Amino acid sequence: MDYNEFFAGKVQDLREEGRYRTFATLERIVGEFPRALYHAPDGSAREVTIWCSNDYLGMGQNPVVLDAMKDAIMRSGAGAGGTRNISGTTRYHIELEQSVADLHHKEAALVFSSGYVANEGALSTLVKLMPGCIVFSDALNHASMIHGMKSGGAEKRIYRHNDVEHLEALLKAADPKAPKIIAFESVYSMEGDIAPMAEIVALAEQYGAMTYLDEVHAVGMYGPRGAGVAEERGLMDRIDIIEGTFGKAFGVMGGYIAGKRETVDAVRSYASGFIFTTALPPALLAGARASVEYLKVSDIERQRQRRNVRHLKDLLEAAEMPYMQGESHIVPLVVGEATCCKMVTDMLMDEYDIYVQPINYPTVPRGTERLRLTATAAHSIAQIDHMADVLKHLWHENHVFQYAAA
């Protein structure tokens, strides 16, 4: 067998479907975000504006975060020295976990190397530790949550997206004695909508299920201290486990869970994704803690970001653009076909110096390919106006969104 030819064929299949992913080489410039240098394949470089970043509040550029990271690296060096279990637990881990536990008003927290690893590690461990456990999963849950359920060997019941009636029907049909977990997200990043959290929590309490809430696209963004949608809606104390990330609104890297001390300790003690992974280095931990603590008291970034999102949505609405009108800060603009979606993003980059990645299958269902737009706190009103004008021009004059209109 010619292995190389085989894999080349698999990649060619993606190209023919319009789903082959290309990465733009970007160099973020301190103090200039969302502007960045784009390094083109021909060796040239030019400035572009980023419109698909998860650094929603621009905290990756915040001097408080940068200073904390510089100080940590000068005090403790670059690496952690090993896994948390052997030689990698530092005071920076403990301080960050205390900060996160306080953020969510939980007894304990546990830091992972990423939000993906946190979801996979926590969910797989919880399921394995509870024989006969049934996980009730929203149909649009993130791949990391699905990975965790599969790794744990969970018996899974998938309920229609944000459909509490379907969820209740599944709960009713389940063995009342079986341990149960309802796993869902607050903000769904590809749809821009928010879960009916109060109703889900009420069902969990009625049917004796644990709640596992992924707040990765909400922490830092929602609530008076940035603890997420559960804080904003007064439901944090009724959620068993909250999972979050430092890699989006907090602007750094890493993931975590927060909950009851015994539950968190069980995950710490059994999750292989935690036990066998090299610990995050001091600089990242210090930067994450600085960001969390800063956003507990500063609402300036959240208010600016909300203003920018509202302005973008108003402009797209006035231009009759086909965006998905969820209540969150994420603005998905539907194109509806993979090749066309890639063409739009190429035009934005090549002709207007606007960087947006196309979102295609399997991230979203076929026929719903889209641009996932994020107006951050760092975007100016002028940049938002320009983006809306460009999209309007492409839609009404160049008709490049023909599939969305069909």
Side-chain angles (χ1 to χ4, degrees):
M1 179 177 182
D2 188 329
Y3 296 104
N4 195 58
E5 183 179 352
F6 172 82
F7 292 120
K10 290 298 182 181
V11 172
Q12 183 59 29
D13 290 344
L14 294 177
R15 293 182 189 276
E16 292 173 0
E17 294 176 25
R19 295 197 294 120
Y20 181 72
R21 299 170 190 254
T22 58
F23 298 153
T25 303
L26 300 174
E27 180 183 355
R28 288 175 29 136
I29 309 166
V30 173
E32 297 295 325
F33 181 74
R35 302 290 290 173
L37 283 179
Y38 165 59
H39 294 268
D42 63 5
S44 64
R46 69 180 192 272
E47 281 199 357
V48 298
T49 303
I50 301 173
W51 269 96
C52 53
S53 175
N54 289 335
D55 189 357
Y56 300 126
L57 302 179
M59 290 303 292
Q61 307 280 304
N62 191 297
V64 171
V65 175
L66 300 184
D67 288 345
M69 296 182 75
K70 293 173 189 174
D71 180 68
I73 204 167
M74 293 308 296
R75 288 171 61 94
S76 298
T83 65
R84 290 281 300 272
N85 293 278
I86 296 175
S87 61
T89 294
T90 68
R91 73 173 181 88
Y92 298 101
H93 286 96
I94 304 307
E95 290 171 354
L96 178 55
E97 288 169 348
Q98 290 171 343
S99 176
V100 167
D102 170 74
L103 175 68
H104 293 292
H105 295 169
K106 297 298 184 185
E107 294 177 357
L110 187 66
V111 169
F112 291 79
S113 56
S114 73
Y116 191 106
V117 176
N119 267 336
E120 192 283 328
L123 277 169
S124 64
T125 299
L126 293 170
V127 169
K128 287 177 182 176
L129 293 179
M130 294 190 291
C133 180
I134 305 172
V135 181
F136 298 82
S137 174
D138 186 286
L140 295 186
N141 274 342
H142 191 271
S144 58
M145 300 174 78
I146 296 169
H147 186 181
M149 297 170 208
K150 288 182 177 178
S151 296
E155 184 178 344
K156 188 168 59 174
R157 304 281 190 273
I158 300 174
Y159 63 91
R160 291 184 292 270
H161 179 53
N162 284 345
D163 188 335
V164 292
E165 291 184 358
H166 188 211
L167 172 59
E168 182 168 20
L170 294 175
L171 288 165
K172 279 183 178 178
D175 181 354
K177 296 180 181 179
K180 303 173 183 66
I181 300 173
I182 301 176
F184 65 108
E185 302 179 36
S186 55
V187 175
Y188 286 85
S189 65
M190 293 302 155
E191 315 299 310
D193 56 1
I194 296 177
M197 195 175 298
E199 292 89 339
I200 292 173
V201 169
L203 287 176
E205 293 169 345
Q206 180 180 349
Y207 290 95
M210 289 181 64
T211 43
Y212 184 99
L213 173 63
D214 178 316
E215 288 257 41
V216 296
H217 287 278
V219 289
M221 303 284 296
Y222 298 84
R225 297 203 310 160
V229 175
E231 180 189 36
E232 182 180 71
R233 299 187 177 182
L235 296 167
M236 274 201 306
D237 62 326
R238 297 169 65 189
I239 302 290
D240 293 299
I241 300 174
I242 295 175
E243 185 266 347
T245 184
F246 306 115
K248 294 181 171 60
F250 289 127
V252 193
M253 179 183 176
Y256 65 86
I257 62 168
K260 292 280 191 182
R261 192 176 312 280
E262 293 79 7
T263 304
V264 172
D265 196 25
V267 174
R268 182 191 68 86
S269 302
Y270 284 92
S272 58
F274 171 82
I275 294 170
F276 298 109
T277 298
T278 299
L280 288 174
L284 285 175
L285 298 163
R289 181 177 181 273
S291 187
V292 171
E293 290 298 315
Y294 177 91
L295 289 173
K296 285 179 183 178
V297 296
S298 176
D299 200 43
I300 296 171
E301 293 77 11
R302 286 188 283 271
Q303 292 295 338
R304 186 181 299 131
Q305 202 259 357
R306 290 188 189 110
R307 177 205 68 184
N308 288 349
V309 171
R310 183 68 267 159
H311 186 57
L312 176 62
K313 287 183 175 181
D314 287 345
L315 293 174
L316 296 181
E317 183 77 20
E320 299 181 338
M321 299 293 293
Y323 79 96
M324 300 173 72
Q325 301 182 21
E327 57 184 310
S328 81
H329 58 284
I330 296 168
V331 185
L333 183 61
V334 177
V335 177
E337 197 276 334
T339 303
C340 185
C341 195
K342 181 66 167 60
M343 180 186 71
V344 172
T345 59
D346 287 346
M347 291 178 69
L348 289 171
M349 186 67 126
D350 296 339
E351 299 178 23
Y352 300 97
D353 295 332
I354 291 171
Y355 172 66
V356 183
Q357 274 289 75
I359 306 297
N360 294 329
Y361 176 85
T363 306
V364 296
R366 297 181 194 274
T368 69
E369 290 81 2
R370 65 199 68 173
L371 312 185
R372 179 184 172 277
L373 305 178
T374 55
T376 72
H379 281 87
S380 67
I381 293 296
Q383 287 169 333
I384 298 169
D385 288 343
H386 176 64
M387 179 61 162
D389 286 343
V390 169
L391 291 172
K392 181 179 178 181
H393 171 73
L394 293 176
W395 169 263
H396 290 291
E397 296 182 32
N398 285 11
H399 305 291
V400 298
F401 292 105
Q402 57 183 313
Y403 291 96

